[in-house]
Amino acid sequence: WHPGDLAIMGGFRMGELFWGGFAQRARVRGDWLVALPEKLTPLRAMAIGTAGLTSMLAVIALEQHGLVPASGEILVTGAAGGVGSVAVALLSALGFRVTAVTGRRETHGYLKRLGAEKILDRAAFAAQPQKPLLPARYAGAIDSVGGATLANILASLSYGGSVAATGLVSGRELSTTVIPFLLRGINLLGIEATNCPMPKREMAWQRLAQDLPMGLLDNMTSVVPLAKVPEIGQLILRGKVQGRVVVDVNA
């Protein structure tokens, strides 16, 4: 399938950069493509995008490490962003109790509508933890922030808990200790969507079509014309955009 009038961004695969340039159509290698699941329209597939695929891969990784709704509270950082929004919607739809972390008070209503039960201020996670072990509060987490936030999550996981690390918004450095791994048997799971093996990628897209509530996806998605890209790009870089943005290159 091809996305027709929807924007195709550039990509990075196997150490090489491939330009998309917001083209209406692009010729790519067939073995890079995943068939569009029957339940998804091209617009919804573009709204999910790499961020949504990353969220689904993170949920699958947590499930594979034993996480179930009965396990306890799940934390999602950067919750109003692309990865976070889809993660909150997915986890909530699957029956998990989701706590969203954001620094934007204006997104609280939005996150509640996606299914977050509780919302925490990101400032609570911004400083390095003062102890190697903090009270065990979370059964799992999906973290797109990294840095001190990830260090705090690792110190706060319950026994056998897992965190899926998807990003480094606050920095690439991680200062922590091995104590939570040794005394609580926790797991730090790296999530990578660019070179993900095709069987795993296909499974994730099928799960997205099955498990992601399409009404919530539609509500978190805005469609903008090509001329708006510079403006939207600046807003994204400043953390002022919530949810997903699809570019209509013909508008």
Coordinates of all heavy atoms in Angstrom, one line a residue, residues 52-134:
G52 N 3.8 5.5 17.5 CA 2.8 4.5 17.9 C 3.3 3.1 17.9 O 3.1 2.3 18.7
L53 N 4.1 2.8 16.8 CA 4.8 1.5 16.7 C 5.7 1.3 17.9 O 5.7 0.2 18.5 CB 5.6 1.4 15.4 CG 6.4 0.2 15.2 CD1 5.6 -1.1 15.2 CD2 7.3 0.3 14.0
T54 N 6.5 2.3 18.3 CA 7.3 2.3 19.5 C 6.6 2.0 20.7 O 7.0 1.1 21.6 CB 8.1 3.6 19.6 OG1 8.9 3.8 18.4 CG2 9.0 3.5 20.8
S55 N 5.4 2.6 20.9 CA 4.6 2.4 22.1 C 4.1 0.9 22.1 O 4.2 0.3 23.2 CB 3.3 3.3 22.0 OG 3.7 4.7 22.0
M56 N 3.7 0.4 21.0 CA 3.2 -1.0 21.0 C 4.4 -1.9 21.3 O 4.2 -2.9 22.0 CB 2.6 -1.3 19.6 CG 1.9 -2.6 19.5 SD 0.3 -2.6 20.4 CE 0.7 -3.6 21.9
L57 N 5.5 -1.7 20.7 CA 6.7 -2.6 21.0 C 7.0 -2.5 22.5 O 7.4 -3.5 23.1 CB 7.9 -2.1 20.2 CG 7.8 -2.4 18.6 CD1 9.0 -1.7 17.9 CD2 7.8 -3.9 18.3
A58 N 6.9 -1.4 23.1 CA 7.1 -1.2 24.5 C 6.1 -2.0 25.3 O 6.5 -2.8 26.3 CB 7.1 0.2 24.9
V59 N 4.8 -1.9 25.0 CA 3.8 -2.7 25.7 C 4.1 -4.2 25.5 O 4.0 -5.0 26.5 CB 2.4 -2.4 25.1 CG1 1.3 -3.3 25.7 CG2 2.1 -0.9 25.5
I60 N 4.4 -4.7 24.3 CA 4.7 -6.1 24.1 C 5.9 -6.5 24.9 O 5.8 -7.6 25.5 CB 4.9 -6.3 22.6 CG1 3.6 -6.1 21.8 CG2 5.5 -7.7 22.4 CD1 3.8 -6.2 20.3
A61 N 6.9 -5.7 25.0 CA 8.1 -6.1 25.8 C 7.7 -6.2 27.3 O 8.2 -7.2 28.0 CB 9.2 -5.0 25.6
L62 N 6.9 -5.3 27.8 CA 6.5 -5.4 29.2 C 5.6 -6.7 29.4 O 5.8 -7.4 30.4 CB 5.6 -4.2 29.6 CG 6.4 -2.9 29.6 CD1 5.4 -1.7 29.9 CD2 7.5 -2.9 30.7
E63 N 4.7 -7.0 28.5 CA 3.9 -8.2 28.6 C 4.8 -9.4 28.6 O 4.6 -10.4 29.3 CB 2.9 -8.3 27.4 CG 1.8 -7.2 27.5 CD 0.9 -7.3 26.2 OE1 1.4 -7.8 25.2 OE2 -0.2 -6.8 26.3
Q64 N 5.8 -9.4 27.7 CA 6.7 -10.6 27.6 C 7.5 -10.8 28.9 O 8.1 -11.9 29.1 CB 7.6 -10.5 26.4 CG 6.9 -10.6 25.1 CD 7.7 -10.3 23.9 OE1 8.8 -9.6 24.0 NE2 7.3 -10.8 22.7
H65 N 7.6 -9.8 29.7 CA 8.3 -9.9 31.0 C 7.3 -10.0 32.1 O 7.7 -9.7 33.3 CB 9.3 -8.7 31.2 CG 10.5 -8.8 30.4 ND1 10.6 -8.6 29.0 CD2 11.8 -9.2 30.8 CE1 11.8 -8.9 28.6 NE2 12.6 -9.2 29.6
G66 N 6.2 -10.5 31.8 CA 5.2 -10.9 32.9 C 4.2 -9.8 33.3 O 3.5 -10.1 34.3
L67 N 4.2 -8.7 32.7 CA 3.3 -7.6 33.2 C 1.9 -7.9 32.7 O 1.6 -8.1 31.5 CB 3.8 -6.3 32.6 CG 3.2 -5.0 33.4 CD1 3.9 -4.9 34.7 CD2 3.5 -3.8 32.6
V68 N 1.0 -7.9 33.7 CA -0.4 -8.0 33.4 C -1.2 -6.9 34.2 O -0.6 -6.3 35.1 CB -1.0 -9.4 33.8 CG1 -0.3 -10.5 33.0 CG2 -0.7 -9.7 35.3
P69 N -2.4 -6.7 33.9 CA -3.2 -5.6 34.6 C -3.1 -5.8 36.1 O -3.1 -4.8 36.9 CB -4.6 -5.7 34.0 CG -4.4 -6.1 32.6 CD -3.2 -7.1 32.7
A70 N -3.2 -7.0 36.6 CA -3.2 -7.3 38.0 C -1.8 -7.0 38.7 O -1.7 -7.0 39.9 CB -3.6 -8.7 38.3
S71 N -0.8 -6.7 37.9 CA 0.6 -6.5 38.4 C 0.7 -5.2 39.3 O 1.4 -5.2 40.2 CB 1.6 -6.5 37.3 OG 1.7 -7.7 36.6
G72 N -0.1 -4.2 38.9 CA -0.1 -3.0 39.6 C 0.0 -1.8 38.7 O -0.2 -1.9 37.5
E73 N 0.4 -0.7 39.3 CA 0.4 0.6 38.6 C 1.5 0.7 37.5 O 2.6 0.3 37.8 CB 0.6 1.7 39.6 CG 0.4 3.1 39.2 CD 0.5 4.1 40.3 OE1 0.5 3.7 41.5 OE2 0.5 5.3 40.1
I74 N 1.1 1.3 36.4 CA 2.1 1.5 35.3 C 2.3 3.0 35.0 O 1.3 3.7 34.9 CB 1.5 0.8 34.0 CG1 1.1 -0.6 34.2 CG2 2.6 0.9 32.9 CD1 2.2 -1.5 34.7
L75 N 3.6 3.4 34.9 CA 3.9 4.8 34.7 C 4.2 5.0 33.3 O 4.9 4.2 32.6 CB 5.2 5.1 35.6 CG 5.5 6.5 35.9 CD1 4.5 7.1 36.9 CD2 6.9 6.6 36.5
V76 N 3.8 6.1 32.7 CA 4.1 6.6 31.4 C 4.6 8.0 31.5 O 3.9 8.9 31.9 CB 2.9 6.5 30.4 CG1 3.3 7.0 29.0 CG2 2.4 5.1 30.3
T77 N 5.9 8.2 31.1 CA 6.5 9.5 31.1 C 6.3 10.2 29.7 O 6.1 9.5 28.8 CB 7.9 9.5 31.5 OG1 8.7 8.8 30.5 CG2 8.1 8.8 32.9
G78 N 6.5 11.5 29.7 CA 6.3 12.2 28.4 C 4.9 11.9 27.9 O 4.7 11.7 26.7
A79 N 3.9 11.8 28.8 CA 2.7 11.2 28.5 C 1.8 11.9 27.4 O 1.0 11.3 26.7 CB 1.8 11.0 29.7
A80 N 2.0 13.2 27.2 CA 1.2 13.9 26.3 C 1.9 14.0 24.9 O 1.3 14.5 23.9 CB 1.0 15.4 26.7
G81 N 3.1 13.4 24.8 CA 3.7 13.4 23.5 C 3.2 12.2 22.6 O 2.3 11.5 23.0
G82 N 3.9 12.0 21.5 CA 3.5 10.9 20.5 C 3.5 9.5 21.1 O 2.5 8.8 21.1
V83 N 4.7 9.2 21.6 CA 4.8 7.8 22.2 C 4.0 7.7 23.4 O 3.2 6.7 23.6 CB 6.3 7.5 22.6 CG1 6.4 6.2 23.3 CG2 7.2 7.5 21.3
G84 N 4.0 8.7 24.3 CA 3.2 8.7 25.5 C 1.7 8.6 25.3 O 1.1 7.8 26.0
S85 N 1.2 9.4 24.4 CA -0.2 9.4 24.2 C -0.7 8.0 23.8 O -1.7 7.5 24.3 CB -0.6 10.4 23.1 OG -0.4 11.8 23.6
V86 N 0.0 7.4 22.8 CA -0.5 6.1 22.3 C -0.3 5.1 23.4 O -1.1 4.2 23.6 CB 0.3 5.7 21.1 CG1 -0.1 4.3 20.6 CG2 0.0 6.7 19.9
A87 N 0.8 5.2 24.2 CA 1.0 4.2 25.3 C -0.1 4.3 26.3 O -0.6 3.3 26.8 CB 2.4 4.5 25.9
V88 N -0.5 5.5 26.7 CA -1.6 5.7 27.7 C -2.8 5.0 27.2 O -3.5 4.3 27.9 CB -1.8 7.2 28.1 CG1 -3.0 7.3 28.9 CG2 -0.6 7.7 28.8
A89 N -3.2 5.3 25.9 CA -4.4 4.8 25.3 C -4.4 3.3 25.3 O -5.4 2.6 25.6 CB -4.6 5.4 24.0
L90 N -3.2 2.7 24.8 CA -3.1 1.3 24.7 C -3.2 0.6 26.1 O -4.0 -0.3 26.2 CB -1.8 0.9 24.1 CG -1.6 1.0 22.6 CD1 -0.2 0.8 22.2 CD2 -2.5 -0.2 21.9
L91 N -2.4 1.1 27.0 CA -2.4 0.4 28.3 C -3.7 0.5 29.0 O -4.2 -0.5 29.6 CB -1.3 1.0 29.2 CG 0.1 0.8 28.8 CD1 1.1 1.7 29.5 CD2 0.5 -0.7 29.1
S92 N -4.4 1.6 28.9 CA -5.7 1.8 29.5 C -6.7 0.8 28.9 O -7.5 0.1 29.6 CB -6.2 3.2 29.4 OG -7.5 3.3 29.9
A93 N -6.7 0.7 27.6 CA -7.6 -0.2 26.8 C -7.4 -1.6 27.2 O -8.3 -2.4 27.2 CB -7.5 0.1 25.3
L94 N -6.1 -2.0 27.5 CA -5.8 -3.3 27.9 C -6.1 -3.6 29.4 O -5.8 -4.8 29.8 CB -4.3 -3.6 27.6 CG -3.9 -3.7 26.1 CD1 -2.4 -3.6 25.9 CD2 -4.5 -4.9 25.4
G95 N -6.6 -2.7 30.1 CA -7.0 -2.9 31.5 C -6.0 -2.5 32.5 O -6.2 -2.8 33.7
F96 N -4.9 -1.8 32.2 CA -3.9 -1.4 33.1 C -4.3 -0.1 33.8 O -5.0 0.7 33.3 CB -2.5 -1.2 32.5 CG -1.9 -2.5 32.0 CD1 -2.1 -3.0 30.7 CD2 -1.1 -3.3 32.8 CE1 -1.5 -4.1 30.2 CE2 -0.5 -4.4 32.4 CZ -0.7 -4.9 31.1
R97 N -3.8 0.0 35.1 CA -4.0 1.3 35.8 C -2.8 2.2 35.4 O -1.6 1.9 35.8 CB -4.0 1.0 37.3 CG -5.3 0.3 37.7 CD -5.4 0.2 39.2 NE -4.4 -0.6 39.9 CZ -3.5 -0.2 40.7 NH1 -3.3 1.0 40.9 NH2 -2.6 -1.1 41.2
V98 N -3.0 3.3 34.7 CA -2.0 4.1 34.2 C -1.8 5.4 34.9 O -2.8 6.1 35.2 CB -2.3 4.4 32.7 CG1 -1.2 5.3 32.1 CG2 -2.5 3.1 31.9
T99 N -0.6 5.7 35.3 CA -0.3 7.0 35.9 C 0.6 7.7 34.8 O 1.6 7.2 34.4 CB 0.5 6.9 37.2 OG1 -0.3 6.3 38.2 CG2 1.0 8.2 37.7
A100 N 0.1 8.9 34.4 CA 0.8 9.7 33.4 C 1.7 10.7 34.0 O 1.3 11.3 35.1 CB -0.2 10.3 32.5
V101 N 2.8 11.0 33.5 CA 3.7 12.0 34.0 C 3.9 13.1 32.9 O 4.2 12.8 31.7 CB 5.1 11.4 34.3 CG1 6.1 12.5 34.8 CG2 5.0 10.3 35.3
T102 N 3.6 14.3 33.2 CA 3.8 15.4 32.3 C 4.1 16.7 33.0 O 3.8 16.8 34.2 CB 2.4 15.6 31.5 OG1 2.6 16.7 30.5 CG2 1.3 16.0 32.4
G103 N 4.7 17.6 32.3 CA 5.0 18.9 32.9 C 4.0 20.0 32.4 O 4.1 21.2 32.8
R104 N 3.0 19.6 31.7 CA 2.0 20.5 31.1 C 0.7 20.3 31.7 O -0.1 19.4 31.4 CB 2.0 20.4 29.6 CG 3.3 20.7 28.9 CD 3.1 20.6 27.4 NE 3.2 19.2 26.9 CZ 2.9 18.8 25.7 NH1 2.4 19.7 24.8 NH2 3.0 17.6 25.3
R105 N 0.3 21.3 32.6 CA -1.0 21.2 33.3 C -2.2 21.2 32.3 O -3.2 20.6 32.6 CB -1.1 22.3 34.3 CG -2.4 22.3 35.1 CD -2.4 23.3 36.3 NE -1.4 22.9 37.2 CZ -1.6 22.0 38.2 NH1 -2.8 21.5 38.3 NH2 -0.7 21.8 39.1
E106 N -2.0 21.9 31.2 CA -3.1 22.0 30.2 C -3.4 20.7 29.6 O -4.5 20.6 28.9 CB -2.8 23.1 29.2 CG -1.6 22.8 28.2 CD -0.3 23.1 28.7 OE1 -0.1 23.4 30.0 OE2 0.7 23.2 27.9
T107 N -2.6 19.7 29.7 CA -2.8 18.4 29.1 C -3.5 17.4 30.0 O -3.8 16.3 29.6 CB -1.5 17.8 28.6 OG1 -0.7 17.4 29.7 CG2 -0.8 18.7 27.6
H108 N -3.8 17.8 31.2 CA -4.4 16.9 32.2 C -5.7 16.3 31.7 O -5.9 15.1 31.8 CB -4.5 17.5 33.6 CG -3.2 17.7 34.3 ND1 -3.1 17.9 35.6 CD2 -1.9 17.7 33.8 CE1 -1.9 18.1 36.0 NE2 -1.1 18.0 34.9
G109 N -6.6 17.2 31.2 CA -7.9 16.7 30.8 C -7.7 15.7 29.6 O -8.4 14.7 29.5
Y110 N -6.8 16.1 28.7 CA -6.5 15.2 27.5 C -6.1 13.8 28.0 O -6.5 12.8 27.5 CB -5.5 15.9 26.7 CG -4.7 15.1 25.7 CD1 -5.3 14.8 24.5 CD2 -3.4 14.7 25.9 CE1 -4.7 14.0 23.5 CE2 -2.7 13.9 24.9 CZ -3.4 13.6 23.7 OH -2.7 12.9 22.8
L111 N -5.2 13.8 28.9 CA -4.6 12.5 29.4 C -5.7 11.7 30.1 O -5.7 10.4 30.0 CB -3.4 12.7 30.3 CG -2.2 13.3 29.6 CD1 -1.1 13.7 30.6 CD2 -1.6 12.3 28.6
K112 N -6.6 12.3 30.9 CA -7.7 11.6 31.5 C -8.6 11.0 30.5 O -9.0 9.9 30.6 CB -8.5 12.6 32.4 CG -7.8 13.0 33.6 CD -7.8 12.0 34.7 CE -7.2 12.5 36.0 NZ -7.2 11.5 37.1
R113 N -8.8 11.7 29.4 CA -9.7 11.2 28.3 C -9.0 10.0 27.6 O -9.7 9.1 27.1 CB -10.0 12.3 27.3 CG -10.9 13.3 27.8 CD -11.4 14.2 26.7 NE -10.4 15.0 26.1 CZ -10.0 16.2 26.5 NH1 -10.5 16.7 27.7 NH2 -9.0 16.9 25.9
L114 N -7.7 9.9 27.6 CA -7.0 8.8 27.0 C -7.0 7.6 27.9 O -6.7 6.5 27.5 CB -5.5 9.2 26.7 CG -5.3 10.2 25.6 CD1 -3.8 10.4 25.3 CD2 -6.0 9.8 24.3
G115 N -7.3 7.8 29.2 CA -7.4 6.7 30.1 C -6.5 6.7 31.4 O -6.5 5.8 32.2
A116 N -5.8 7.8 31.5 CA -4.9 7.9 32.7 C -5.7 8.0 34.0 O -6.6 8.9 34.0 CB -3.9 9.1 32.6
E117 N -5.4 7.2 35.0 CA -6.1 7.3 36.3 C -5.6 8.4 37.1 O -6.3 9.1 37.8 CB -6.1 6.0 37.0 CG -6.9 4.9 36.4 CD -7.0 3.7 37.3 OE1 -6.6 3.8 38.5 OE2 -7.5 2.7 36.8
K118 N -4.2 8.6 37.1 CA -3.6 9.6 37.9 C -2.6 10.3 37.0 O -2.1 9.8 36.0 CB -2.8 9.0 39.1 CG -3.7 8.4 40.1 CD -3.0 8.1 41.4 CE -1.9 7.0 41.2 NZ -1.2 6.6 42.5
I119 N -2.3 11.6 37.4 CA -1.3 12.4 36.7 C -0.3 13.0 37.7 O -0.7 13.5 38.7 CB -2.0 13.5 35.9 CG1 -3.0 12.9 34.9 CG2 -0.9 14.4 35.2 CD1 -3.8 13.9 34.1
L120 N 1.0 12.8 37.4 CA 2.0 13.3 38.2 C 2.8 14.4 37.5 O 3.0 14.3 36.2 CB 3.0 12.2 38.7 CG 2.4 11.1 39.5 CD1 3.5 10.0 39.8 CD2 1.8 11.6 40.8
D121 N 3.4 15.4 38.2 CA 4.2 16.4 37.6 C 5.6 15.8 37.4 O 6.2 15.2 38.2 CB 4.3 17.6 38.5 CG 4.9 18.8 37.8 OD1 6.0 18.8 37.3 OD2 4.2 19.9 37.8
R122 N 6.1 16.1 36.2 CA 7.5 15.6 35.9 C 8.6 16.1 36.8 O 9.6 15.5 36.9 CB 7.8 15.9 34.4 CG 8.0 17.4 34.1 CD 8.2 17.6 32.7 NE 8.4 19.1 32.3 CZ 8.2 19.6 31.1 NH1 7.9 18.8 30.1 NH2 8.3 20.9 30.9
A123 N 8.3 17.2 37.5 CA 9.3 17.8 38.4 C 9.6 16.8 39.5 O 10.7 16.8 40.1 CB 8.8 19.1 39.0
A124 N 8.7 15.9 39.8 CA 8.9 14.9 40.9 C 10.0 13.9 40.5 O 10.5 13.2 41.4 CB 7.6 14.2 41.2
F125 N 10.3 13.8 39.2 CA 11.3 12.9 38.7 C 12.5 13.5 38.2 O 13.4 12.8 37.7 CB 10.7 12.0 37.6 CG 9.5 11.2 38.1 CD1 8.2 11.8 38.1 CD2 9.6 9.9 38.4 CE1 7.1 11.0 38.5 CE2 8.5 9.1 38.8 CZ 7.3 9.7 38.9
A126 N 12.6 14.9 38.3 CA 13.7 15.6 37.6 C 15.1 15.5 38.3 O 16.1 15.7 37.6 CB 13.3 17.1 37.4
A127 N 15.1 15.3 39.6 CA 16.4 15.3 40.3 C 16.8 13.8 40.5 O 16.0 12.9 40.6 CB 16.2 15.9 41.7
Q128 N 18.1 13.7 40.5 CA 18.7 12.3 40.8 C 18.2 11.7 42.1 O 18.1 12.5 43.1 CB 20.2 12.4 40.8 CG 20.8 12.5 39.4 CD 20.6 11.2 38.6 OE1 20.3 11.3 37.4 NE2 20.9 10.1 39.2
P129 N 17.8 10.5 42.1 CA 17.3 9.9 43.4 C 18.4 9.9 44.4 O 19.6 9.7 44.1 CB 16.9 8.5 43.0 CG 17.7 8.2 41.7 CD 17.8 9.5 41.0
Q130 N 18.0 10.2 45.7 CA 19.0 10.3 46.8 C 19.4 9.0 47.4 O 20.3 8.9 48.1 CB 18.4 11.2 47.9 CG 18.2 12.7 47.4 CD 19.5 13.3 46.8 OE1 20.5 13.4 47.6 NE2 19.4 13.8 45.6
K131 N 18.6 8.0 47.0 CA 18.8 6.6 47.6 C 18.8 5.6 46.4 O 18.1 5.8 45.4 CB 17.8 6.2 48.6 CG 17.7 7.1 49.8 CD 16.6 6.7 50.8 CE 16.6 7.6 52.0 NZ 15.5 7.2 52.9
P132 N 19.5 4.5 46.5 CA 19.5 3.5 45.4 C 18.2 2.8 45.3 O 17.8 2.3 44.2 CB 20.6 2.6 45.8 CG 20.8 2.7 47.3 CD 20.5 4.2 47.6
L133 N 17.4 2.7 46.4 CA 16.1 2.2 46.4 C 15.1 3.2 47.0 O 15.3 3.7 48.1 CB 16.1 0.9 47.2 CG 16.7 -0.4 46.6 CD1 16.6 -1.5 47.6 CD2 16.1 -0.7 45.3
L134 N 14.1 3.4 46.2 CA 13.0 4.2 46.7 C 11.8 3.3 47.0 O 11.8 2.1 46.6 CB 12.6 5.3 45.7 CG 13.7 6.3 45.3 CD1 13.3 7.2 44.1 CD2 14.1 7.1 46.5

